[in-house]
Amino acid sequence: MAITNKTVLKKMSSEIQEAMLQHGDEQKVREHVRSVKLLADLLLEEEASTQSSPAAVQEPTVEEIRKMMGAGSPEPVQKENKETKIDHDEANGSSIFDF
């Protein structure tokens, strides 16, 4: 599914409006401006890749843009902590520093 330039520009416009509404909170303004920068880079990168190799252009998916924007990302997966118990003379843990 291709995302049009118009869609990206609309998203940039909404991010700018949000930044203007949050003018008192510098951190939130920076987040919105960073989003605008990412979207602008996306448009410019697409333009450059279209000019260099029009046959091999692959547009980013909606999911990729959401990941760039930081929205809709799943919660981090926690790895299970599997400890192997060392079972020999005078060893009482899995770390080399356990005495």
Side-chain angles (χ1 to χ4, degrees), residues 11-80:
K11 182 64 178 168
M12 288 172 71
S13 176
S14 68
E15 289 293 330
I16 290 170
Q17 288 175 353
E18 287 294 321
M20 292 176 72
L21 290 173
Q22 301 290 330
H23 62 84
D25 187 354
E26 187 176 329
Q27 180 66 25
K28 288 186 180 184
V29 170
R30 286 181 165 281
E31 289 175 18
H32 290 293
V33 170
R34 194 171 291 121
S35 297
V36 171
K37 181 180 179 204
L38 284 171
L39 290 165
D41 289 344
L42 176 68
L43 283 177
L44 294 173
E45 189 175 291
E46 178 181 303
E47 180 182 297
S49 67
T50 303
Q51 291 174 355
S52 63
S53 61
V57 174
Q58 193 173 37
E59 304 236 357
T61 64
V62 173
E63 184 178 324
E64 290 172 333
I65 290 179
R66 284 186 180 147
K67 285 181 182 179
M68 284 191 278
M69 298 296 293
S73 58
E75 293 185 23
V77 178
Q78 294 180 351
K79 295 180 182 178
E80 292 183 28

Side-chain angles (χ1 to χ4, degrees), residues 82-88 91-95 98:
K82 294 182 181 180
E83 292 187 19
T84 55
K85 184 85 171 171
I86 298 173
D87 189 25
H88 58 81
N92 61 356
S94 60
S95 172
D98 289 342

